């Protein structure tokens, strides 16, 4: 087996976004695109000589090929060992768990998360640090800088490695260790939750539907929910990961998980429904006739986490991304624990988790997680909900109304305008930024602006700074409006408008969400000029 040094030149469009590098699958399959980026990762982390890396992906189209290439490049660059999921599969949270449990020198995760897969879909790659979380900006900047000056990469000329059975083999001087993708993750879940209580819940006739959306969580959910917790066979549907996710859009929200929504709002609905995304880090939870927003889910989990053995000692603090509703802050205030507001993207939670400042974290984009790994974790959130349901023995709807009665309700919705013209979207953001200084004190749609800014963040642990993280317009405790452009898209731009309105009166807490936030929707339209600037009559997605 010989090591080849292959000449290459920089390729445009390799700047990592909110969560690693994402691009069209076809782009990734172009000559040297993947190789350039992988060599740049290796250079950006100071080389991989003698290191052990975790490797796996969500099984989407090109996953297997990319894994073979990465292993051969790691071997050629002197890596000592690769710990890889069987068949190249590892969900994102499982990859984080493996990095931590096996103490590897970081890992490479292949996924474009909730973006559609297949040959005509998206692909992605990211590097996670030894703590298990996504690389912070210092590292992604270094990786990007390397992509701009790369002149060659190293790869081993060798046959493909068989990844279909657990065990060790060698690739050049590097050991390839194929592991069960579920085992380490399942051990971790068993250590956090009261599996006996959940087993009793299922034994009592509790009915659940988990929609894995033909994506990576299928094997995990089947092994844990059906295999260990005793949910009847068939509780987990769409459980086999497919390279194109069955042609679907594996994003667990009411729009893309419509079949689950219909079932949960239909006749004879199960007690509890859940779904997860392409790589298993996002989640959606629904009770019978009761959709739970991710922002509310974070708040409810924070208020009830002590019911799970792993969190019985209480939480150190709760962190949420800036556009996530303020519901979790209300719980933190009552519990007398820290609450943190970070920029969008899981990488900003890492320092808070490492420093023991936050125990739970969440994002409005269906991401919830804790200090057990350094990624958001879809199945973890579902299991924590099950643990809470098993202990409280109330329906999801009862838990929600009791929560709102105690803390008040933050009605919440996000409106996305997808695939809009980039220049127009940037113009809209500039137009908003130009108004910031004059907004406080103004009344819009009957609500008075108390603060307006472009969110800037200084990490309380390491002092690193992030600016221009989204325009927020705050109407005291009553309402809030946030605008930002997506950092994960691969075509044009996506404008995200996040809206929330607080309601303390229990008698007014069961309105339809869009009606409840109507003044905030109108205020957003007026302040941003969405219709004229983007030429759109309405959003493509409403969560
Ligand atoms: C989106 C979500 C964000 C999440 C990220 C990765 O990023 O908004 O909360 O962390 O996906 O899953 P965006 O496209 O908004 O930059
Ligand atoms: Zn994801």
């Amino acid at each position: 087996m010989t090591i080849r040094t292959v000449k290459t030149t920089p390729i445009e469009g390799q700047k990592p976004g909110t969560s690693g590098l994402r691009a069209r699958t076809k782009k990734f399959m172009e000559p040297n695109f993947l190789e350039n980026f992988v060599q740049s990762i290796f250079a950006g982390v100071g080389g991989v000589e003698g290191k052990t890396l975790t490797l796996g992906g969500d099984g989407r189209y090109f996953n297997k090929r990319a894994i073979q290439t990465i292993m051969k490049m790691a071997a050629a660059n002197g890596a000592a060992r690769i710990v890889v999921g069987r068949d190249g599969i590892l969900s994102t949270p499982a990859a984080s768990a493996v990095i931590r449990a096996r103490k590897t020198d970081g890992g490479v995760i292949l996924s474009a998360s909730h973006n559609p897969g297949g040959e005509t879909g998206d692909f992605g790659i990211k590097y996670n640090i030894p703590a298990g979380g996504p690389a912070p900006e210092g590292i992604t900047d270094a990786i990007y800088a390397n992509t701009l000056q790369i002149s060659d990469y190293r790869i081993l000329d060798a046959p493909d490695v068989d990844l279909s059975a657990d065990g060790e083999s060698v690739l050049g001087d590097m050991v390839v260790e194929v592991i069960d993708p579920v085992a380490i993750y399942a051990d971790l879940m068993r250590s956090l939750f009261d599996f006996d209580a959940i087993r009793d819940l299922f034994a009592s006739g509790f009915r659940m539907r988990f929609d894995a959306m033909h994506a990576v969580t299928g094997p995990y959910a089947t092994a844990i929910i059906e295999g260990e917790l005793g949910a009847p066979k068939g509780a987990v549907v769409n459980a086999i990961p497919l390279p194109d996710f069955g042609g679907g859009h594996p994003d667990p929200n009411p729009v893309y998980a419509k079949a689950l929504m219909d079932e949960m709002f239909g006749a004879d609905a199960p007690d509890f429904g859940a779904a997860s995304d392409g790589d298993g880090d996002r989640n959606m939870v629904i009770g019978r006739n009761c959709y739970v927003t991710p922002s509310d889910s974070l708040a409810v989990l924070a208020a009830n986490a002590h019911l799970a053995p792993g969190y019985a000692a209480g939480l150190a603090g709760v962190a949420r991304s800036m556009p996530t509703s303020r519901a979790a802050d209300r719980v933190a205030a009552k519990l007398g624990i820290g609450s943190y507001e970070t920029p969008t993207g899981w990488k900003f939670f890492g320092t808070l988790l490492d420093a023991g400042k936050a125990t739970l974290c969440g994002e409005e984009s269906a991401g919830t997680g804790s200090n057990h790994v350094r990624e958001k974790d879809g199945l973890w959130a579902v299991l924590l909900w099950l643990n809470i349901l098993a202990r409280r023995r109330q329906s999801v709807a009862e838990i929600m109304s009791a929560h709102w009665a105690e803390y008040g309700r933050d009605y919440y919705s996000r409106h996305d305008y997808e695939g809009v013209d980039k220049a127009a979207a940037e113009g809209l953001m500039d137009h908003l930024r130009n108004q910031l200084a004059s907004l406080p004190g103004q009344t819009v749609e009957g609500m008075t602006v108390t603060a307006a800014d472009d969110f800037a963040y200084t990490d309380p642990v390491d002092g690193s700074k992030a600016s221009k993280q989204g325009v927020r317009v705050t109407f005291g405790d009553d309402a809030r409006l946030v605008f930002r452009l997506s950092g994960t898209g691969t075509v044009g731009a996506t404008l995200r408008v996040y809206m929330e309105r607080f309601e303390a009166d229990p008698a007014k807490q069961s309105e339809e969400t869009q009606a409840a936030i109507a003044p905030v929707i109108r205020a957003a339209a007026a302040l941003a000029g969405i219709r004229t600037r983007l030429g759109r009559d309405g959003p493509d997605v409403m969560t």
Side-chain angles (χ1 to χ4, degrees):
M1 277 181 255
T2 49
I3 293 173
R4 265 195 307 138
T5 301
V6 182
K7 289 268 163 261
T8 185
T9 49
I11 300 175
E12 254 179 56
Q14 297 211 323
K15 189 171 168 51
T18 312
S19 184
L21 177 64
R22 301 223 181 132
R24 290 291 193 206
T25 309
K26 285 197 168 132
K27 184 105 217 150
F28 262 101
M29 293 170 71
E30 283 175 11
N32 297 353
F33 191 90
L34 174 71
E35 290 84 350
N36 271 19
F37 194 73
V38 171
Q39 190 68 50
S40 299
I41 292 178
F42 292 168
V45 303
V48 292
E49 210 178 330
K51 289 185 180 173
T52 296
L53 294 176
T54 298
L55 178 64
D58 63 10
R60 67 180 61 219
Y61 189 88
F62 193 53
N63 190 65
K64 284 193 170 172
R65 278 253 48 80
I67 286 207
Q68 294 291 344
T69 301
I70 295 167
M71 289 192 302
K72 290 171 193 174
M73 289 184 65
N77 280 276
R81 178 181 286 258
I82 290 277
V83 180
V84 57
R86 193 192 315 126
D87 291 323
I89 294 285
L90 279 179
S91 76
T92 293
S96 186
V98 171
I99 293 172
R100 293 167 66 79
R102 293 293 309 274
K103 299 189 168 43
T104 67
D105 303 293
V108 176
I109 303 179
L110 303 174
S111 169
S113 189
H114 49 287
N115 295 13
E119 202 174 352
T120 55
D122 287 347
F123 194 78
I125 175 168
K126 66 176 179 172
Y127 171 75
N128 278 31
I129 58 175
E137 280 185 341
I139 294 180
T140 54
D141 288 348
I143 293 171
Y144 179 52
N146 289 320
T147 68
L148 299 176
Q149 58 184 47
I150 188 165
S151 58
D152 47 53
Y153 63 82
R154 287 158 76 82
I155 189 160
L156 193 71
D157 261 333
D160 283 357
V161 182
D162 178 11
L163 298 181
S164 66
D166 300 355
E168 291 188 1
S169 60
V170 288
L171 180 61
D173 293 334
M174 184 180 83
V175 177
V176 175
E177 179 185 349
V178 179
I179 60 165
D180 176 346
V182 179
I184 287 177
Y185 180 83
D187 284 348
L188 184 56
M189 294 303 113
R190 224 174 281 122
S191 76
L192 296 174
F193 301 120
D194 189 344
F195 273 26
D196 287 336
I198 304 175
R199 267 191 281 270
D200 288 347
L201 180 72
F202 280 118
S204 73
F206 179 87
R207 286 164 55 223
M208 169 173 189
R209 177 77 65 223
F210 185 102
D211 188 343
M213 303 186 85
H214 303 290
V216 79
T217 314
Y220 297 84
T222 306
I224 296 173
I225 296 175
E226 292 184 8
E228 285 204 41
L229 297 173
K233 286 232 165 335
V236 181
V237 293
N238 302 321
I240 311 281
L242 299 176
D244 67 346
F245 307 122
H249 194 143
D251 197 3
N253 64 37
V255 180
Y256 297 127
K258 186 168 182 307
L260 179 64
M261 284 296 278
D262 289 348
E263 185 176 8
M264 295 307 298
F265 282 82
D268 196 30
D271 299 288
F272 186 52
S276 58
D277 74 330
D279 62 331
D281 57 358
R282 293 186 173 198
N283 75 90
M284 173 167 94
V285 293
I286 329 167
R288 184 184 295 128
N289 286 313
C290 177
Y291 169 69
V292 182
T293 70
S295 294
D296 274 344
S297 180
L298 175 65
V300 170
L301 294 182
N304 293 279
H306 62 277
L307 298 175
Y311 307 95
L315 308 176
V318 182
R320 62 167 173 84
S321 66
M322 183 274 280
T324 304
S325 96
R326 297 177 287 185
D329 303 7
R330 305 183 197 284
V331 175
K334 201 152 195 171
L335 292 174
I337 58 175
S339 61
Y340 300 88
E341 184 176 42
T342 59
T344 300
W346 207 260
K347 59 187 172 214
F348 293 100
F349 293 132
T351 51
L352 299 172
L353 293 166
D354 288 347
K357 286 182 178 293
T359 311
L360 297 199
C361 305
E363 293 196 274
E364 58 68 41
S365 54
T368 337
S370 86
N371 58 354
H372 69 291
V373 287
R374 293 296 181 271
E375 291 277 3
K376 54 192 179 241
D377 187 345
L379 187 51
W380 167 90
V382 174
L383 293 172
L384 181 50
W385 262 98
L386 280 171
N387 193 140
I388 292 165
L389 290 164
R391 290 288 307 278
R392 287 185 56 160
R393 295 288 173 137
Q394 288 172 303
S395 70
V396 174
E398 284 163 346
I399 289 178
M400 290 318 299
S401 23
H403 185 92
W404 292 329
E406 185 172 354
Y407 297 96
R409 175 171 184 182
D410 290 274
Y411 284 103
Y412 187 87
S413 180
R414 188 187 81 221
H415 291 189
D416 289 340
Y417 297 81
E418 293 178 341
V420 298
D421 181 67
K422 208 163 176 216
E426 278 162 5
L428 178 146
M429 291 302 295
D430 285 340
H431 169 65
L432 285 166
R433 286 191 193 103
N434 292 338
Q435 299 174 64
L436 291 174
S438 61
L439 279 178
Q442 279 190 37
T443 299
V444 190
E445 294 294 327
M447 305 174 299
T448 304
V449 178
T450 52
D453 67 355
D454 192 350
F455 182 57
Y457 179 68
T458 302
D459 187 300
V461 180
D462 67 11
S464 58
K465 290 182 193 303
S467 59
K468 294 184 109 177
Q469 294 295 317
V471 165
R472 29 174 205 186
V473 181
T474 310
F475 306 91
D477 201 33
D478 294 338
R480 200 175 66 133
L481 188 52
V482 174
F483 301 86
R484 61 180 282 283
L485 300 184
S486 160
T488 57
T490 52
V491 187
T494 293
L495 172 71
R496 303 199 195 281
V497 187
Y498 311 80
M499 292 159 291
E500 66 193 80
R501 191 177 73 69
F502 182 62
E503 180 55 71
D505 181 356
K508 296 181 186 159
Q509 288 174 347
S510 39
E511 273 181 65
E512 193 274 321
T513 296
Q514 300 301 321
I517 62 165
V520 195
I521 297 177
R522 289 196 299 270
L527 290 173
I530 296 175
R531 185 189 277 256
T532 46
R533 285 176 177 275
L534 301 186
R536 292 285 176 92
D537 284 336
D540 301 281
V541 172
M542 285 195 257
T543 64

